[in-house]
Amino acid sequence: MFMSHQSLHEAINSIIATCNLMPEVFRDGIILCDRAKETIHVSEKVCVFTGYTQEELSKNNLFSLIANCSTLFQKDTVQFATSIKSKQGQMIPIIVYPKVIQLHEHTLFLFILQKQLALKLPLKSYFLAQFPNRFLFLHEMLRHAITHSHENNTYGALLLLDINNFKIINHVKGHTIGDYVLTDIAKRISLVVNTLSVEHLNGDEFAIVFQTQSKRYHNAEEKIRILSTKILKAIQEPILIENQSFILTASVGVVPFLGEQYTPEKIIQYADAALHEAKKYGRNSTHFFSPLLQQKREDKATLLERLQYAILHQQMSIFYQKQWKHTIKNNGINVIGAEALVRWIDPVHGIITPEKFIPLAEESGCIIPLGTWILHETLKQLKLWENDPIKCEWQLSINISIKQFERDDFIAVVQNLVQQTACNPHKIRFELTESLLVQDLTNSLKKIEALTKLGISLSIDDFGTGYSSLSYLKRLPIHELKIDQSFIRDLITDNADVILVQTILGIGKRFGLDVVAEGVETKEQYEMLCEMGCAYFQGYFLSKPIEGALL
Ligand code: C2E
Ligand code: MG
Ligand code: MG
């Protein structure tokens, strides 16, 4: 069956009309052509961003302006990231969605061009193919921006923008409203940055590629800041959903780049890192990537890798620092126990002290296997002391991380290890920090009671540096306070420290707790503390931490 010329004409008009029904943000241009690549229709928008008039476009072979245009006519092309050459000779990155339309004997090709936005869901509903690769278009945009930056020696930038707490909208209002909100935000962004490239990435993330036209970093940074502030402001305008007004905010991570300084992959990775920082330090802000920050992140990642290796390959060792008791009667002093202090014996870097790796171990979760290993090793050591006529009297202090203590299986792990090593739990003292106790007092109380039942006693480490609330002292069965080193350091010269130490000694006395002075480094400090009535000591003045075998 053949179509009459008039029917064909009507069908074409109807295709164009359908395309025009698409919200503008999803299409930056429409091209309709026939099998011979003769253009039938070119939308006004194509003229706007290429700089050609419609007449010029129809005279020129439009397809010669599109890079690798033959791909567009391949049957299986569902979308294609490429570029179109403007009249000024600029290569404008575009993404093209081709659609073959068969009208009886006539084969037509419809191309929808997107310059600014690529929105996943609505596009799907507009019969176009799925949106496969999250970063496909972004890579293309970045490649162009890098070339532009390189050729002009001006800074380009990638801004990654993430809507704060967007999940709430999806959860409370459902995904349809969520998508509507995203579309609205996309529109707002594109209004602010109308000449730039914007892509809607997954979920609530948007990417904006910006050519600053500035040759100096300082100027480029200022321009980016102005742009970002404008975007953030536009997003903050209230949005009306079902007669309810919502205010959304966003965070922005920025990577300025000059020429081929970074690959597109690196730019995206760095922008992700900057966005992460923006979210961490006060949302609704813009954070610039800094090479120093990246260096820190990379160092941290390397350290974590090494730490995991060290834990697995027995590069950890336990040192012990003796704890002493002063007796007023004969002014004598004797060892009453030791504190276990972990060390990382690195084959290259030597001994690494815990403050360099415990925080990372806590953050990464490594502290759980490491803490269990420390417990096991120290309890084995305690068991060995039983055979020594002097050490059999010693008590063993073990530092417990908040992450270990928080675990539901903490008590079970301790119980198992006590049984396994057959040590005397009455000789074990756990050192906990105040923050650990205050966070969830009821839960802490339950665990502490369980530990007390096992026979384990408890000490508050770094006492006085944590929280001002001391109410936990009356609720928890605690046995010892350890005065933090920071109060001992300047004890001789700083009267404020004298008052603080006296106060802590007073609290200990009233509550019937042992008080240990930590970090006692000099004879003067030791003597002054003795005079003040302190009975328990730990510090370099008396002994340094050493390996278990050397004790
Ligand atoms: P902490 O529990 O308060 O341990 C006391 C720290 O003071 C130890 O540092 C010890 O070597 C140091 N020290 C002792 N006497 C003196 C002195 O006279 N002067 C000075 N300047 N320092 C002294 P270390 O071993 O580097 O441990 C630092 C922190 O790391 C510990 O503070 C503790 O919070 C944590 N830590 C150590 N071992 C472990 C462990 O096995 N598990 C856990 N979770 N944390 C641990
Ligand atoms: Mg301690
Ligand atoms: Mg301490």
Side-chain angles (χ1 to χ4, degrees), residues 81 93 95 118 131 133-145 157-160 197-199 201 205-209 264 267-268 271:
I95 195 157
F131 199 65
N133 183 347
R134 177 181 177 220
F135 289 128
L136 182 82
F137 188 50
L138 185 53
H139 272 208
E140 189 63 23
M141 293 200 298
L142 283 172
R143 261 195 291 276
H144 283 280
L158 170 64
L159 289 81
L160 264 194
S197 309
V198 179
E199 188 187 6
L201 302 174
E205 257 184 11
F206 293 83
I208 298 141
V209 178
I267 295 175
I268 295 170

Side-chain angles (χ1 to χ4, degrees), residues 339 399 431 461 482 518:
E339 176 178 7
N399 291 287
E431 294 195 0
D461 207 350
K482 295 188 84 171
E518 269 196 294

